[in-house]
Amino acid sequence: CDPFALRFYRRILPLLQKELESHDVVLSMALGCHPKTAGVMAYDRNWKYLPDAFFTELTEFAAELSCNPMYSTHLVAWGECGLDYSHKRYGGEEYNRRSQQNLFRKQLEFANEGTLRRLPVVIHSRDAERDTLTIMKELLDKERPIHMHAFMPKDVTVIDTYLKEFRNLFIGFAGCIQQESRERAKCCPVDRIVLETDSPWLAPPSMVDNPWV
């Protein structure tokens, strides 16, 4: 999701792969740039990375994973990517939003290329449902498998709009489904729900202060 994590995993993946194989464990991953990362990179001049440079690194790593038979089966989705306007400082600024939108478009365009076209897309959208849907409709096929990660729009009717627009779109619910997400879950057919942890984030309220979560 960010340049530091990407470079770290690129370095350790061969060693990690070898270790996991010795225990007969399969590593699966999704690859993408989180929208908040895209926004902060564009706004904060103290960052050493710019969105375009990071996108180049992402696509290079995806190509490595796709071309190497040791890894190709383990890249199972593209994302999470999307739009997030919820940041108290940056969220409302047009420059930040444009940066997020540009990188979101680039990622979806890339996700439509080659072998990546068969992969699901994991989308993060917070306080940006209209813009997110507009870009998705521009660039994604109606049949594309889509996981709306921890999707919690304030207007629950938005869920139905997304479900009708994309036939293979699923709504993700994490641990905080115990709270406000209950009403959203009621609006979603059971066969269009994905249960996820997003660990260590979005934990159930009773476990927020649990040091083991």
Side-chain angles (χ1 to χ4, degrees), residues 67-204:
C67 295
N68 189 327
M70 182 184 298
Y71 304 135
S72 59
T73 58
H74 305 324
L75 182 60
V76 296
W78 184 268
E80 62 191 277
C81 58
L83 303 175
D84 192 321
Y85 300 162
S86 67
H87 196 287
K88 292 181 180 179
R89 178 179 176 185
Y90 303 125
E93 298 192 4
E94 187 60 30
Y95 184 61
N96 172 284
R97 294 188 176 193
R98 280 202 311 272
S99 176
Q100 291 191 38
Q101 291 166 12
N102 289 339
L103 195 54
F104 185 31
R105 280 191 169 93
K106 284 186 176 182
Q107 290 188 84
L108 293 188
E109 288 170 353
F110 182 71
N112 286 331
E113 297 180 3
T115 58
L116 294 178
R117 296 188 65 176
R118 61 181 172 78
L119 298 182
V121 179
V122 183
I123 293 180
H124 174 116
S125 180
R126 186 171 299 166
D127 294 345
E129 290 82 13
R130 181 181 297 178
D131 287 349
T132 301
L133 184 60
T134 297
I135 294 173
M136 289 171 61
K137 289 166 67 176
E138 288 176 9
L139 296 171
L140 291 179
D141 186 87
K142 301 291 185 183
E143 303 294 334
R144 186 67 176 262
I146 300 169
H147 170 198
M148 295 300 298
H149 162 60
F151 192 46
M152 297 184 288
K154 294 180 175 66
D155 180 2
V156 296
T157 63
V158 170
I159 291 178
D160 189 57
T161 302
Y162 273 72
L163 291 173
K164 288 180 177 178
E165 194 67 41
F166 294 94
R167 301 180 186 88
N168 291 315
L169 182 146
F170 298 84
I171 307 295
F173 290 92
C176 56
I177 195 172
Q178 294 186 25
Q179 298 183 101
E180 66 274 6
S181 291
R182 286 182 176 179
E183 292 304 313
R184 298 182 181 91
K186 292 177 182 178
C187 299
C188 188
V190 174
D191 62 354
R192 304 289 291 276
I193 288 177
V194 171
L195 298 181
E196 54 181 326
T197 63
D198 200 36
S199 178
W201 316 109
L202 302 181

Side-chain angles (χ1 to χ4, degrees), residues 22-34:
S22 69
H23 296 284
D24 198 26
V25 175
V26 175
L27 173 68
S28 300
M29 69 179 72
L31 193 61
C33 179
H34 192 284

